[in-house]
Amino acid sequence: MLAGLLDASHLMPLDVLPEKAGEHARAAGFTDLLIYVADLERRGLHLLPGEKGASPGAAEVIRIEGTTPGRAYQYGWLASCAVNEAAGVEWWLPIVDGTERLGVLRVRSAYDDARAREDADRLAAILALLIVAKQTSSDTLARLMRTEPLSIAAEMAWNLMPPSTYADGRVVVSASLQPAYRISGDVYEYALDGPLVHLTIFDAMGHDNAAGLCGALALGACRQARRRGAELAAKGEAVEAALIEQYGHRRYVTGVLATLDTRTGVLSWVNRGHHPPVVIRGNRSSHLQCPPAHPMGTDLGLPSMVCSEQLQPGDRIILYTDGITEARGADDREFGVERFADFLVRHDADGLPVPETLRRLMRAVLDYHGGHLQDDATVLMCEWLGPVIDDTEPAKALTGLRDPPATAGTPKDGSRPL
């Protein structure tokens, strides 16, 4: 099954992936294969129709909330639905690239045993790799992941930023943005450089395409400076120089540029006119204080100070933009930093995967604001686990890759750990 699908993938557009996957999956006893991908807002799962169109009777869209496929996506579990003995058992599996949740796979298996479940898991894994490999050349997938048109600024931003989740034995990084289809000036980035994890968040002035251009320029200038070996303060200066060269002093960007040394747990950062980072330790949160320099592009002459903080394993660093905390409810009260941090603490205690916690956070922020944000809301979270790259069990648990505890039992909907 896997060898045949790999061989076929070299000369295969994404549009025929469902047919090819179904064809090769039959070698392992799988039939009725359907592939669903999540939309940008992580509200629904959308059927990848294939070259021949959607399968008869298959739902084109499935809600993530309150459905069996949705639970497979949310928690990273295999979910089974009993069917008649002759037809076999129906499974829903998460499609995950590394720790980035892409969607779910539905297959019907002639066998209901550990070997068949392992084969199904491997099929879902290779589908994730193929989807990611071909997504940059597929407008089919891009359209499928949208429930409304993207603004020009959002189109640029989504194509510039890295995947929303990354993890290894040392760190778990996850990010989320809203409004997904109309983001303008917010962008985030993380990057690994040996033992160093670079974390960046920018918020460009305004809510138009010009803000999107500023955010893209800031991210590009920062990325170029970093890859040339620039230190934290110099990266901010490179962004400022690029903005002034392009816009004079008419546009500016605020942001935090940080680096975590995973060998020691020392976090270093520069604040360029932005909200300070928040550290969550256990069930407590606090702001990390550092004298801010001026926003990049204003050239006000304030010095860029590099500050540092010694983290403990399990500490979470939160970078965010003001759209998170300044979202106002019907009573005109802000969502606020305290409510924001408390939400993360409570859902972490519930044992939810980190990407699912951030998905629910964004739903809470949107609901608090009546479903319509007036400003971009972005959060970038990094949890330091320790210095050992091969100790991956904590990262698996935090991202939903590890089996749920045996004592938890099997959920009523038939879900079971992979």
Side-chain angles (χ1 to χ4, degrees):
M1 174 181 70
L2 299 180
L5 190 52
L6 274 174
D7 286 344
S9 70
H10 298 294
L11 300 174
M12 178 181 68
L14 189 70
D15 305 70
V16 301
L17 180 60
E19 286 87 1
K20 289 295 182 182
E23 173 188 330
H24 292 286
R26 286 194 287 272
F30 301 133
T31 58
D32 299 325
L33 181 147
L34 297 174
I35 299 169
Y36 286 83
V37 295
D39 58 48
L40 286 178
E41 287 193 311
R42 305 297 194 261
R43 288 174 179 249
L45 299 162
H46 301 257
L47 179 66
L48 185 63
E51 192 177 33
K52 298 177 182 178
S55 302
E60 293 189 12
V61 183
I62 300 174
R63 290 183 300 107
I64 289 176
E65 303 291 347
T67 66
T68 297
R71 282 186 282 276
Y73 175 83
Q74 289 173 293
Y75 298 102
W77 293 359
L78 177 148
S80 62
C81 302
V83 295
N84 66 68
E85 211 171 286
V89 62
E90 182 180 288
W91 289 332
W92 292 93
L93 302 94
I95 297 177
V96 183
D97 177 53
T99 52
E100 176 76 354
R101 302 178 301 170
L102 303 177
V104 294
L105 164 68
R106 192 206 77 177
V107 293
R108 188 160 290 166
S109 175
Y111 312 101
D112 186 11
D113 55 28
R115 173 61 187 272
R117 289 191 289 272
E118 183 179 13
D119 287 344
D121 184 33
R122 290 172 174 170
L123 175 59
I126 196 171
L127 289 175
L129 292 174
L130 295 180
I131 290 170
V132 169
K134 296 180 182 297
Q135 67 179 354
T136 55
S137 60
S138 174
D139 276 359
T140 299
L141 184 62
R143 283 193 297 269
L144 196 62
M145 293 174 66
R146 305 171 186 195
T147 59
E148 60 183 88
L150 265 68
S151 67
I152 295 173
E155 188 77 59
M156 291 189 296
W158 282 117
N159 284 282
L160 281 172
M161 294 180 292
S164 63
T165 306
Y166 170 85
D168 60 37
R170 305 162 300 177
V171 292
V172 171
V173 182
S174 194
S176 190
L177 294 87
Q178 286 287 353
Y181 300 97
R182 298 183 305 280
I183 52 174
S184 51
D186 280 15
V187 285
Y188 73 84
E189 181 166 61
Y190 62 85
L192 283 292
D193 184 8
L196 305 180
V197 180
H198 301 292
L199 306 165
T200 307
I201 195 164
F202 290 135
D203 183 356
M205 160 196 168
H207 307 99
D208 52 12
N209 286 335
L213 288 167
C214 281
L217 180 59
L219 191 58
C222 178
R223 189 176 288 169
Q224 183 206 43
R226 186 184 71 238
R227 291 172 178 172
R228 294 176 64 180
E231 299 296 330
L232 282 172
K235 288 191 289 184
E237 291 162 5
V239 172
E240 175 153 78
L243 289 169
I244 291 174
E245 179 183 3
Q246 185 67 34
Y247 297 105
H249 297 86
R250 300 186 305 276
R251 289 277 173 175
Y252 66 84
V253 174
T254 69
V256 172
L257 304 96
T259 299
L260 171 63
D261 190 329
T262 61
R263 296 166 297 191
T264 62
V266 172
L267 178 79
S268 303
W269 77 96
V270 169
N271 186 336
R272 296 301 303 260
H274 199 77
H275 295 283
V278 171
V279 61
I280 297 178
R281 178 170 296 162
N283 60 359
R284 289 184 159 186
S285 64
S286 60
H287 285 94
L288 297 181
Q289 298 302 320
C290 186
H294 56 270
M296 293 162 285
T298 59
D299 196 23
L300 298 178
L302 297 177
S304 293
M305 292 190 63
V306 178
C307 298
S308 62
E309 179 79 8
Q310 177 63 59
L311 302 183
Q312 298 177 11
D315 283 356
R316 282 158 286 168
I317 300 301
I318 315 294
L319 308 182
Y320 64 96
T321 62
D322 52 13
I324 292 280
T325 56
E326 295 178 9
R328 293 182 180 273
D331 58 0
D332 203 39
R333 295 176 60 187
E334 292 185 347
F335 193 79
V337 177
E338 185 175 342
R339 190 194 308 265
F340 167 48
D342 181 64
F343 187 100
L344 296 176
V345 169
R346 285 188 291 106
H347 282 72
D348 179 67
D350 291 340
L352 288 175
V354 171
E356 180 61 19
T357 294
L358 294 190
R359 190 185 75 87
R360 296 188 184 195
L361 169 68
M362 287 307 188
R363 296 258 48 83
V365 171
L366 276 169
D367 290 345
Y368 190 81
H369 205 273
H372 300 283
L373 292 175
Q374 301 303 313
D375 195 5
D376 293 355
T378 305
V379 58
L380 175 63
M381 182 169 74
C382 175
E383 179 166 342
W384 180 55
L385 304 176
V388 183
I389 195 170
D390 294 327
D391 183 13
T392 57
E393 288 304 312
K396 288 181 180 179
L398 286 167
T399 54
L401 295 182
R402 191 173 68 176
D403 295 348
T407 55
T410 301
K412 293 180 181 178
D413 68 351
S415 300
R416 68 186 75 189
L418 285 172

